[in-house]
Amino acid sequence: MSRVALFVTGGVAAYKACEVLRGLQRAGHEVRVAMTDDAQRFVGTTTFEALTHSPVLSSLYGLDGDPIPHISLSEWASLALVCPATGNVMAKMAAGIADDAVSTTLLACDCPTLVAPAMNVRMWLHPATQANVTTLAGRGVSFVMPDSGLLACGDAGQGKLADVGRIVEEACALLSGSPRPRDLAGRTLLVNAGPTHEAIDPVRFIANASTGKMGYAIAAEAIARGAVVRLVSGPVSLDAPTGAELVRVVSAADMLDACLAAFDGADAAVCTAAVADYTPRHASRHKLKKSVERLDAIELVETTDILATLSARKGDRVVVGFAAETDDVIPYARAKLARKGCDLIVANDVSRPDSTFGADTSRVAFVSAGGVEELGTLPLPQVAREVVDRVAMLLGGSS
Ligand code: CTP
């Protein structure tokens, strides 16, 4: 078991540190927390004490029974994770300032350090902040860079705390001593994700339970490993990973067109999307009236199979499909591998609560011409890593 000292500093994203903490614990790591005074304005020490069953270090003085708690914590930690990191704490880290429990402990830490910044876009882009990032990175500090999106202050831009799963994944990678390889540098991947919506009329559509989490996690993993990622996404409520070339689509037909365009010049495609199998033959322009028009007699036509279409034109490129099943998982996955002509099927049993749509974990099996490889239940970022490992192997790179 590894030990993570989690340093929480003052920003709205402090509440997300609770989820990061839980993710680290689920991955088997022990966590202790240090907080600045400002962080405690957003989340109380009681929350972190209850989650860790340990006292929170919030002052250099007066922690029961430990006269020098900042040294004890720095010696205990095998990873220092600053999350969320304000511009202020990064400035202190860069300058070696030690004027509170967090900055003093960080100055005493000689373990690997991971920083997940979160702040207003102008504060993030300020040359002082950027220079501090460069200084810290030059000293070997790792970063999970902030995402772009709507910020708590109402501004839009880069500064949002990175996805919790990505932070946990990066922390786990540092703890395992195996930071991500850049084995997809120079490669372009198409990833499709999410459900599709098939219009019945202006207010009704056929959809499914896909959340897009798996596809987005794979896109983030591939980007972190150096790939250019074209993410063709159905309607989901997720922020795209920083750096993804996002194409938003709604229907299966739109997704087919976008995927065909994105596959042009790509090295591989990973088809995680839950594409609708059927679509109404005609979408009504007006809202159908159930008393007049037969809503129970909507004529459906089969959609084009995107995975099979890409596989048919792949040449020596790599195409990976997914199979969400509720029974006979492996036989159905084998049949899909043959029917669709792809290189690999990632099969998962969506009848299991730890592997169903929307879960933060998944239990998958890799089914290929070479055989079947079953994995245990893993957090989604780790599943994404395993999938991208297989893509890298199929592409002939090392992983
Ligand atoms: N798929 C696709 N286009 C479709 C249907 C499915 O590209 N019109 C892809 C999915 O993205 C996934 C794989 O095919 O990678 C398997 O999808 P799944 O829904 O499990 O299988 P189906 O082909 O729909 O077969 P069934 O409904 O019999 O399980």
Side-chain angles (χ1 to χ4, degrees), residues 17 35 43 76 97 99-100 150 213 226 230 237 285 345 380:
M35 299 178 79
V43 185
W76 174 87
I97 291 171
D99 63 354
D100 63 5
L150 187 62
K213 281 185 184 176
R230 299 170 180 166
S237 55
R285 285 173 190 273
I345 286 279
L380 283 190

Side-chain angles (χ1 to χ4, degrees), residues 271 273 275-277 303-307 321-324 336 339-340:
C271 297
V275 186
D277 291 318
T303 57
T304 303
D305 191 312
I306 299 171
L307 175 61
F322 273 64
K336 277 178 193 170
R339 193 167 79 238
K340 310 219 178 200

Side-chain angles (χ1 to χ4, degrees), residues 211-224:
T211 59
K213 281 185 184 176
M214 187 74 254
Y216 277 54
I218 288 171
E221 173 70 22
I223 291 166

Side-chain angles (χ1 to χ4, degrees), residues 306-368:
I306 299 171
L307 175 61
T309 306
L310 297 180
S311 298
R313 58 179 71 186
K314 77 184 188 68
D316 58 3
R317 296 180 290 174
V318 170
V319 176
V320 175
F322 273 64
E325 309 290 354
T326 55
D327 42 72
D328 294 332
V329 177
I330 303 299
Y332 278 136
R334 277 209 182 96
K336 277 178 193 170
L337 181 75
R339 193 167 79 238
K340 310 219 178 200
C342 54
D343 299 288
L344 175 71
I345 286 279
V346 184
N348 70 330
D349 181 349
V350 289
S351 70
R352 296 173 58 103
D354 62 357
S355 200
T356 194
F357 292 112
D360 290 322
T361 54
S362 188
R363 190 183 178 92
V364 301
F366 295 113
V367 179
S368 67

